[in-house]
Amino acid sequence: MKKAALWLALGAVAFLAALWAAPQAEGLWSALFPEVSRPAYVQESWFVLLGSHLALSLGAALLAAMLGIPAGIAATRSSGRALRPVVDAAFTLAQSVPPVAVIALALPLLGFGAAPTLLALVLYGALPLLRATVTGIESVPAQITEAARGLGLSPWQRLTRVELPLARPVLLAGLRVAVTLSVATTAVGAVAGARCLGTPIIIGLTNANPSYVLQGALFTAWLALLLDRALSLLAGPQSSP
Amino acid sequence: MIRFEDVSQRYGEVQAVRGVTFGVPSGVLCVLLGESGSGKSTLLRMVNRLIEPSGGRVLLQGQDVAGIDPQILRRGIGYVIQSVGLFPHRSVAENVATVPRLLGWDAARIAARVDKLLAMVGLEPGEYRARRPATLSGGQAQRVGLARALAADPPVLLMDEPFSALDPATRRGLQAELRRIHANMGKTILLVTHDVEEALALADRIAVMEAGRLVAEGPPLAVLGWETPASVRRMLGAETLAFHRLSALRAEDFALPGFAPGAPLLAAGGTMRDALLLMLTHGTDRAALAGEAARHLPLSAILAAP
Ligand SMILES: Nc1ncnc2c1ncn2[C@@H]1O[C@H](COP(=O)(O)OP(=O)(O)O)[C@@H](O)[C@H]1O
Ligand SMILES: [Mg+2]
């Protein structure tokens, strides 16, 4: 546990160092892409791109959690059972439309920038969280909820003291999927003009600069991996009482 | 203490409970006996409002439970189920402390109560307090379940097949524990079982259920006596009923004065059934009784037992 956290911290430091070094590593990029005249991406600071990428993807994940988790809780209440198919259908629809399509469809409505991307990311991330919440709560053995009821826990106490703590591993696994998906998918937002680690990819593609594409792809993937690690550390072994 | 008044429950086509009326006096351990599906659990769960009867009413100390807030009602009634249902993410002590916590007791009072209860159900507090439910055997888990039900000292205890999932030796140990606790604490207990032997081992009174109806109710000997309707006798296993009846008779009530040289010694508090088994084991026709005065029990006394 301790060791894994240390490795994670080292990985994060290496990532930040690479972001800092990338604009200065002219030599490295020109060695890789000799035909490109200006191979180092220097238009914007990588840290600015990282910041807005994180704000966008984590913000979207947060919003997705604020939608998906309460919807999952509502769908598992005895009063919400009837609601369940409707909620499921709505979220399945959201999931079956690819994010690029959502962005494209939202463009005329929301205009260029971060908004269409945010919309796509939220719709995309809410479903895994809804599913995880429902699965997690429904995996709590019936005799445990029966005992909780029989001992006089109120519905709210049953949810917060029994169901959610026992659903925690499944919930955190869902959260991890949602965040990782969100971080990886945010890069697509560059198409609609959202500033993020995908921006150099789009610029590189439109200007026939494979060096930009590589740098953007590298850092996007690296960030997604780092966050996945971090969240698996959180969700991993039952650390809390 | 508990009173069922013309209570019914139907689930669609299934009439699970049909017009049941009877009472459990204060301090009495009443066993609800019947085959699987006869409506025992449904009846039991009406007392703490886990099920609302579709007809009739349930009174607790003269008060209709339908008028009591379910959470408050349940915190004042111990509830033990076959599958125990300990909270796996909480320690043994935290499990036992569930209801006192809900009632807002202070930490010191809770800690003292938890230790006292663990000791009462035969678990060394120092050893078990911090354990997780996953590390307990079935018997230990049900001891914790019993301690959790008794934590806030409720006057009434509901037990739904509490020992049915345990192996016979563990079950007998827990039955003895429950008898001892009942004798010491004077709780009113309603216990569901399908096991005639268990009913006889525990009951002050027995209520027999069949297909949703109450078919017999009273002290064990009256319920399992010769005058019991044939259908009830059949259900309870007519061929072994005579033998089971002996469990409800105390040997000393039938003992004769005088020594019985060479006869095996029956432990204090033994039943007629224990005496018969002892005689069968030793191949004798009499057993000596433990105690100050010399007493013995001849086989003829068992055969003549009412
Ligand atoms: N929630 C329910 N929905 C439908 N039928 C039920 C439900 N609970 C119990 N029953 C039916 O009611 C009858 C009595 O059940 P129960 O009280 O559990 O019996 P017992 O505890 O004596 O085995 C059975 O036929 C059972 O199938
Ligand atoms: Mg039952």
Side-chain angles (χ1 to χ4, degrees), chain A residues 38-50:
Chain A
R38 285 193 295 150
Y41 185 82
V42 290
Q43 283 85 330
E44 274 165 306
S45 155
W46 281 104
F47 292 103
V48 171
L49 292 180
L50 171 68

Side-chain angles (χ1 to χ4, degrees), chain A residues 41-151:
Chain A
Y41 185 82
V42 290
Q43 283 85 330
E44 274 165 306
S45 155
W46 281 104
F47 292 103
V48 171
L49 292 180
L50 171 68
S52 59
H53 191 112
L54 280 179
L56 194 53
S57 50
L58 296 185
L62 189 71
L63 285 174
M66 284 165 62
L67 274 179
I69 294 176
I73 290 171
T76 50
R77 298 308 91 189
S78 52
S79 51
R81 290 257 149 84
L83 209 91
R84 178 84 185 278
V86 184
V87 174
D88 257 0
F91 279 91
T92 311
L93 186 71
Q95 178 86 344
S96 59
V97 182
V100 180
V102 176
I103 293 174
L105 289 171
L107 260 182
L109 285 174
L110 301 174
F112 266 87
T117 309
L118 193 65
L119 178 70
L121 291 176
V122 170
L123 290 184
Y124 215 60
L127 181 72
L129 280 167
L130 170 88
R131 279 279 154 74
T133 309
V134 171
T135 312
I137 289 179
E138 285 185 345
S139 71
V140 177
Q143 71 262 22
I144 292 173
T145 39
E146 160 90 359
R149 230 153 74 78
L151 287 166

Side-chain angles (χ1 to χ4, degrees), chain B residues 11-12 14-17 34-43 51 160-161 192 209:
Chain B
Y11 296 109
V14 182
Q15 186 80 45
V17 174
E35 290 171 325
S36 172
S38 57
K40 310 180 296 293
S41 298
T42 305
L43 197 62
I51 294 177
D160 196 342
E161 311 238 8
V192 163
M209 298 276 297

